[in-house]
């Protein structure tokens, strides 16, 4: 069983920055596709970003259009941790952010919550205007 623990959420002003972390308890972390989703009350969980093995020793990073250029996903395999650096935050970025994981290769589209087998508990990000 893989456990994911997120941290780093909080309250920030419009234009501010936060860095989310997600620590995974798994032995073969380097072979896991990791993603970030977010969710607001009454809405479906929304894909934000993913960092996925390329079948060799490198990783590809992907972003939803609304965060491209502002958010950066990265991973430290030595620490079994994935990060989401969020800059130029906007009030519409306010949500609970979830970390998700699945072993590579993915069994569905990386933007689909159904592609991931494991989820963290979520961390609240609030951007005030």
């Amino acid at each position: 069983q893989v456990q994911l623990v997120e941290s780093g959420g909080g309250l920030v002003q419009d234009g501010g920055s936060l860095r989310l972390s997600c620590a995974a308890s798994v032995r073969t972390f380097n072979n896991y596709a990791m993603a970030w989703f977010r969710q607001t009350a009454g809405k479906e969980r929304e894909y934000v970003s993913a960092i996925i093995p390329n079948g060799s020793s490198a990783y590809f990073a992907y972003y939803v259009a609304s965060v491209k250029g502002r958010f950066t996903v990265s991973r430290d395999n030595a620490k079994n941790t994935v990060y989401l650096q969020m800059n130029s935050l906007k009030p519409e970025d306010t949500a609970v952010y979830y970390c998700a994981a699945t072993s590579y290769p993915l069994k569905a589209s990386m933007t689909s919550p159904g592609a991931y087998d494991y989820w963290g508990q979520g961390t609240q990000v609030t951007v005030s205007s």
Side-chain angles (χ1 to χ4, degrees), residues 3 17 22 34 40 56 73 81 90 112:
Q3 289 189 326
S17 297
C22 172
M34 305 296 296
T40 55
S56 179
V73 65
T81 300
K90 305 176 182 180
S112 168

Side-chain angles (χ1 to χ4, degrees), residues 4 11 26 47 53 64 72 74 90 96:
L4 304 176
L11 173 64
V26 60
Y47 161 80
V64 69
T72 302
S74 61
K90 305 176 182 180
V96 178

Side-chain angles (χ1 to χ4, degrees), residues 9-119:
L11 173 64
V12 66
Q13 290 189 332
D14 190 354
S17 297
L18 284 173
R19 188 177 80 156
L20 305 183
S21 300
C22 172
S25 63
V26 60
R27 293 177 63 184
T28 57
F29 179 75
N30 60 319
N31 197 47
Y32 273 70
M34 305 296 296
W36 291 95
F37 286 74
R38 63 188 180 187
Q39 190 170 23
T40 55
K43 293 190 176 181
E44 293 187 353
R45 199 163 290 191
E46 173 194 30
Y47 161 80
V48 175
S49 179
I51 185 164
I52 299 174
N54 69 347
S56 179
S57 58
Y59 298 85
F60 290 129
Y62 303 90
Y63 304 93
V64 69
S66 61
V67 309
K68 199 171 293 185
R70 299 189 297 122
F71 291 10
T72 302
V73 65
S74 61
R75 61 193 294 159
D76 184 339
N77 289 341
K79 296 182 178 179
N80 281 17
T81 300
V82 63
Y83 304 97
L84 186 67
Q85 177 67 43
M86 305 185 295
N87 298 330
S88 302
L89 281 162
K90 305 176 182 180
E92 51 263 44
D93 294 317
T94 295
V96 178
Y97 283 70
Y98 295 91
C99 174
T102 189
S103 59
Y104 179 81
L106 276 70
K107 296 167 279 294
S109 168
M110 65 177 174
T111 65
S112 168
Y116 301 90
D117 298 311
Y118 307 103
W119 292 84

